[in-house]
Amino acid sequence: MNDTPDESQKLSGDAPSIPGRLGDALSGSGEGVQTEHHLADLHFFENLDRINRVIQSPSDLDQMMRDILDVLLSVFACDRAWLVFPCDPDAPMWQVPMERTRPEYPGVLPIGVELPLDPVGAAVYRTLRESPGPVQFGPGGVHPVPVEMATVFQVQSFIAMAIYPKVGKPWSYGLHQCSYARIWTPQEVRLFQEIGRRLSDALSSLLSYRDVQESERRLRRYNLRLSVLHDIDRRILVASSQQEIASAVLQHLLHLIPCEWLSIVLYNADMTEEWIIAWEHAPQLDVALGDPQPVVPNQGLEQLQAGVSIIAADLAAQEGPRARLADALVEAGMHGAMANPMIVEERLIGVLALSAKQIGFFTEEHREIAEEIAAQVAIAFRQAELSEQIDRYNRDLERRVKERTAELERANHEMALFSYSVSHDLRAPLRAVQGFAEIIARRHRDSLNDEGRRYFDYIVSASAQMDQLISDLLDYVRLGRHRIDWERIALPEVLSRVADSLTTLIAQTEAHIHLAQAMPEIDADRMLLMRIFTNLLENALVYHRPGVAPRVEVTSALTPDSVIVRVQDNGIGIPVEFREKIFDIFQRLHSPDQFPGTGIGLAVVRRSVELLNGTVWVESVEDGGSAFCIRFPRRAA
């Protein structure tokens, strides 16, 4: 490639022709003129031969265009060589399929990208189409360099011509001179025109060859299309739900339309909500699979309801309101988009929605494929609708059960952690209060007046009550972490041990406890049974009517699948409206002044019974005592 021409070449009358450098050295005699013409012809044919070799060597269109333009840069010592398609002043779009430049003057347009045709470009193409040969723009030519081209492309002069391959629309090719205002000589114009003819023939051959290759590719794609559609048909036949159908379709469709996002969107009956039932190649979107979204009315939705597919070259450039999914795709860097309606009985039930990062990705062939598949899916969805509804209801029920179970487990876990933490955090200051109270009692109680001693006794009593509450709370919390040690246990043995542990309280209350001896064995955990019956018997002794000695009777009964143990007392009774609440933690029916306790004992009973797979309830008549009943599962015979 030549460097920038020197000053002797830059002015219009002094710019030499291609063979001018040799001709200047010859005399003006006839022999010199003959030699000059001979050298010019030799140079002409040598350059054509270079072009011919380039044309004959590759079978790839892009490589041929690149090599020819490189030769043009060298032969004409210009700054930029280019090919443009189409050379049509009435075309809405144009592009630069290939361009080669000197480093000092790089190209300013993207290669192979369609651009809107402006009036300046249309005027240049019209001039080229009206001319039978090359057209010069700038010094020495009829046409000036358009101001816009001079500004954008830094062009001082250029030469161009329309070429007419036998396949498709006309092309144009040309040379830019940016470094000086060049006048193109007749020899250069002649060579340029002849290269244009050769280039036109080469384009005809290679475009025809490309069309044949494209036809072969189309045939292969058609065969692939038939194969994929056949596979989709088979998958639809064996699928049992809309979800399975949608997933199978998208996985196969990806082989035919390899874009970055594929999905099937469904609408509810009144077209107020939409949700994605399945997707493939999902980017990070602010939309969840199956998450219902409000339908956004717009022109595109009206087209889909009319059964018309939509292809958007650039989703981000679409005007008007957009659905949340469309906004999410734009935020994820998607541009090209296509939506194909799924119509059943003249109603839009969904959309086959695809998107790509490339602008203008989707073609008419893509639309045909997607429409055919969308129609298949719509029919399959209709056939599976009733079954899908049942499955969806079941899935929804399962989901709700799992969510509620998880919430319950989480709540129980959090309550256990909270209770355990509070119990330990409260016990530290309580020990300090009890310790200082003991010091005061030992050293200063006698020095207090009656009111001071009364207040001091309140402190001691409240501290003891708090200590008992913390102990009970810790017992309750530990139940959640207790490992069940199953064994065969005789109920009379456990009840006798519990009664022995309550000997002091029995004596204080003058109570009478009757334990039935003919009681069965059950499968249980010994420690939990001790907790259950200790709390129940202790409550029966504590919550008795004033002046009436407690009487407690423990009996059992058998059913085909369970053992029911009944603990009945003659105490104060429990109103009907509180029969369930009394088993909740911290639930008390009386103040501590009336009856001692922390409100945790019956909660421990229910929790322990549940851990043994049993149930507990109370049968109570006000002022007539209470009967706590526990049902334990019975081992099959």
Side-chain angles (χ1 to χ4, degrees):
M1 185 178 294
N2 295 330
D3 295 330
T4 303
D6 57 32
E7 294 299 324
S8 65
Q9 295 176 295
K10 291 185 179 179
L11 300 178
S12 61
D14 299 327
S17 64
I18 293 175
R21 299 179 182 87
L22 295 175
D24 288 343
L26 301 175
S27 65
S29 65
E31 182 180 351
V33 171
Q34 254 185 348
T35 302
E36 182 177 354
H37 286 319
H38 176 71
L39 291 175
D41 290 340
L42 180 61
H43 189 83
F44 177 84
F45 288 113
E46 284 178 347
N47 286 319
L48 282 182
D49 183 60
R50 292 177 64 184
I51 293 294
N52 288 337
R53 288 199 302 269
V54 169
I55 289 174
Q56 293 168 4
S57 58
S59 59
D60 177 75
L61 179 61
D62 289 341
Q63 185 63 48
M64 185 201 74
M65 291 189 297
R66 186 180 298 109
D67 293 344
I68 286 178
L69 295 185
D70 283 340
V71 172
L72 290 175
L73 282 179
S74 173
V75 168
F76 288 94
C78 57
D79 297 317
R80 191 181 291 126
W82 45 263
L83 277 164
V84 166
F85 177 83
C87 183
D88 182 358
D90 299 321
M93 309 292 286
W94 69 288
Q95 62 173 296
V96 181
M98 189 59 64
E99 180 181 51
R100 306 295 283 173
T101 68
R102 294 174 64 180
E104 300 93 323
Y105 299 98
V108 295
L109 295 176
I111 301 300
V113 177
E114 287 194 334
L115 302 169
L117 182 61
D118 58 23
V120 174
V124 171
Y125 295 159
R126 187 170 291 106
T127 300
L128 298 181
R129 292 288 296 275
E130 293 172 353
S131 173
V135 179
Q136 300 181 52
F137 293 81
V142 177
H143 307 282
V145 176
V147 175
E148 293 82 352
M149 294 183 65
T151 303
V152 175
F153 301 107
Q154 298 178 290
V155 177
Q156 297 197 46
S157 69
F158 75 94
I159 184 171
M161 69 178 288
I163 53 180
Y164 300 88
K166 296 177 182 179
V167 178
K169 291 185 176 183
W171 293 49
S172 65
Y173 92 108
L175 308 173
H176 284 170
Q177 196 68 52
C178 304
S179 54
Y180 68 99
R182 179 173 183 169
I183 296 178
W184 307 89
T185 66
Q187 293 91 338
E188 291 170 336
V189 173
R190 175 190 170 205
L191 179 60
F192 183 81
Q193 183 172 13
E194 188 58 34
I195 290 174
R197 292 195 186 99
R198 306 291 174 92
L199 182 57
S200 177
D201 292 339
L203 284 174
S204 297
S205 299
L206 285 178
L207 288 174
S208 298
Y209 177 69
R210 188 181 66 179
D211 286 348
V212 171
Q213 288 183 315
E214 180 61 28
S215 297
E216 292 177 351
R217 282 194 292 268
R218 278 204 199 101
L219 182 59
R220 286 195 296 269
R221 285 200 302 272
Y222 185 71
N223 289 335
L224 175 62
R225 175 175 168 182
L226 291 179
S227 175
V228 171
L229 291 176
H230 179 61
D231 290 340
I232 289 176
D233 287 338
R234 289 191 300 175
R235 292 295 299 272
I236 287 176
L237 289 174
V238 300
S240 60
S241 67
Q242 291 181 346
Q243 177 69 51
E244 288 186 28
I245 293 171
S247 298
V249 166
L250 295 182
Q251 291 169 9
H252 284 77
L253 181 57
L254 192 59
H255 296 295
L256 296 177
I257 307 178
C259 55
E260 283 81 9
W261 159 266
L262 305 91
S263 68
I264 291 180
V265 180
L266 295 183
Y267 299 107
N268 62 355
D270 55 3
M271 293 295 295
T272 57
E273 286 187 341
E274 63 182 23
W275 63 93
I276 305 171
I277 187 174
W279 60 24
E280 283 291 322
H281 282 198
Q284 293 296 325
L285 297 181
D286 187 24
V287 177
L289 190 66
D291 184 17
Q293 301 295 327
V295 172
V296 178
N298 52 32
Q299 185 178 0
L301 182 61
E302 294 176 1
Q303 286 183 250
L304 293 171
Q305 288 178 307
V308 179
S309 296
I310 300 172
I311 295 180
D314 189 356
L315 191 59
Q318 298 297 301
E319 298 180 354
R322 289 194 304 233
R324 182 182 171 189
L325 174 59
D327 288 333
L329 289 171
V330 171
E331 292 175 2
M334 299 296 170
H335 291 283
M338 180 170 64
N340 307 96
M342 293 162 46
I343 304 291
V344 171
E345 297 177 355
E346 299 183 353
R347 183 176 73 85
L348 181 67
I349 66 166
V351 170
L352 177 60
L354 296 85
S355 190
K357 292 183 178 180
Q358 179 182 328
I359 295 176
F361 174 83
F362 296 102
T363 65
E364 284 300 308
E365 183 182 0
H366 291 154
R367 180 188 60 78
E368 292 176 6
I369 294 171
E371 284 181 347
E372 185 173 354
I373 291 178
Q376 277 183 286
V377 174
I379 295 172
F381 274 21
R382 180 58 175 170
Q383 293 172 341
E385 186 173 4
L386 293 178
S387 175
E388 180 67 20
Q389 284 180 354
I390 295 174
D391 289 343
R392 187 162 61 247
Y393 292 151
N394 290 337
R395 288 196 301 271
D396 186 57
L397 181 60
E398 277 186 25
R399 178 182 59 80
R400 292 183 182 181
V401 169
K402 288 180 180 179
E403 288 176 354
R404 289 172 183 172
T405 302
E407 289 175 2
L408 179 61
E409 291 176 351
R410 185 166 57 251
N412 289 337
H413 179 66
E414 290 174 354
M415 183 181 71
L417 292 178
F418 173 77
S419 301
Y420 191 80
S421 174
V422 168
S423 298
H424 282 75
D425 291 344
L426 289 177
R427 179 150 274 172
L430 180 61
R431 288 197 184 104
V433 171
Q434 291 175 322
F436 284 114
E438 184 180 346
I439 293 173
I440 293 173
R442 188 171 61 251
R443 298 181 182 179
H444 306 290
R445 182 177 178 83
D446 293 339
S447 62
L448 296 174
N449 58 23
D450 291 342
E451 183 179 18
R453 282 193 291 271
R454 187 170 66 255
Y455 290 155
F456 177 76
D457 290 340
Y458 288 158
I459 293 174
V460 173
S461 175
S463 298
Q465 185 177 359
M466 177 60 75
D467 186 58
Q468 183 61 46
L469 177 63
I470 292 173
S471 297
D472 291 349
L473 185 59
L474 282 173
D475 287 342
Y476 182 78
V477 171
R478 292 189 185 104
L479 284 176
R481 300 190 299 273
H482 180 73
R483 180 178 177 181
I484 307 299
D485 186 11
W486 294 97
E487 60 177 307
R488 195 71 173 168
I489 300 174
L491 284 173
E493 176 191 346
V494 172
L495 290 168
S496 295
R497 290 183 60 187
V498 171
D500 291 343
S501 69
L502 297 174
T503 300
T504 301
L505 185 56
I506 292 172
Q508 291 174 351
T509 59
E510 299 179 351
H512 174 73
I513 296 180
H514 172 70
L515 304 177
Q517 293 303 310
M519 300 181 74
E521 293 182 341
I522 63 172
D523 293 314
D525 179 277
R526 187 175 298 275
M527 190 202 80
L528 292 180
L529 280 183
M530 292 289 294
R531 285 181 182 274
I532 292 169
F533 290 115
T534 298
N535 278 286
L536 291 179
L537 292 178
E538 187 174 6
N539 281 354
L541 298 175
V542 170
Y543 293 94
H544 64 86
R545 285 177 289 178
V548 178
R551 182 176 179 83
V552 185
E553 186 175 3
V554 183
T555 59
S556 66
L558 295 177
T559 70
D561 59 355
S562 63
V563 175
I564 298 177
V565 180
R566 184 181 179 91
V567 180
Q568 184 171 339
D569 62 52
N570 63 340
I572 60 176
I574 299 172
V576 174
E577 62 270 23
F578 295 109
R579 288 181 183 177
E580 290 295 329
K581 291 183 179 179
I582 59 171
F583 291 103
D584 295 337
I585 192 169
F586 300 128
Q587 288 294 324
R588 290 179 52 88
L589 303 185
H590 309 87
S591 68
D593 294 336
Q594 294 176 289
F595 295 99
T598 59
I600 299 177
L602 289 179
V604 170
V605 169
R606 181 169 67 176
R607 188 73 176 274
S608 300
V609 171
E610 289 174 349
L611 290 173
L612 296 175
N613 301 321
T615 55
V616 60
W617 69 96
V618 62
E619 298 173 357
S620 178
V621 179
E622 193 172 355
D623 295 330
S626 305
F628 285 85
C629 304
I630 307 170
R631 176 182 283 111
F632 295 104
R634 185 180 180 187
R635 177 190 292 180

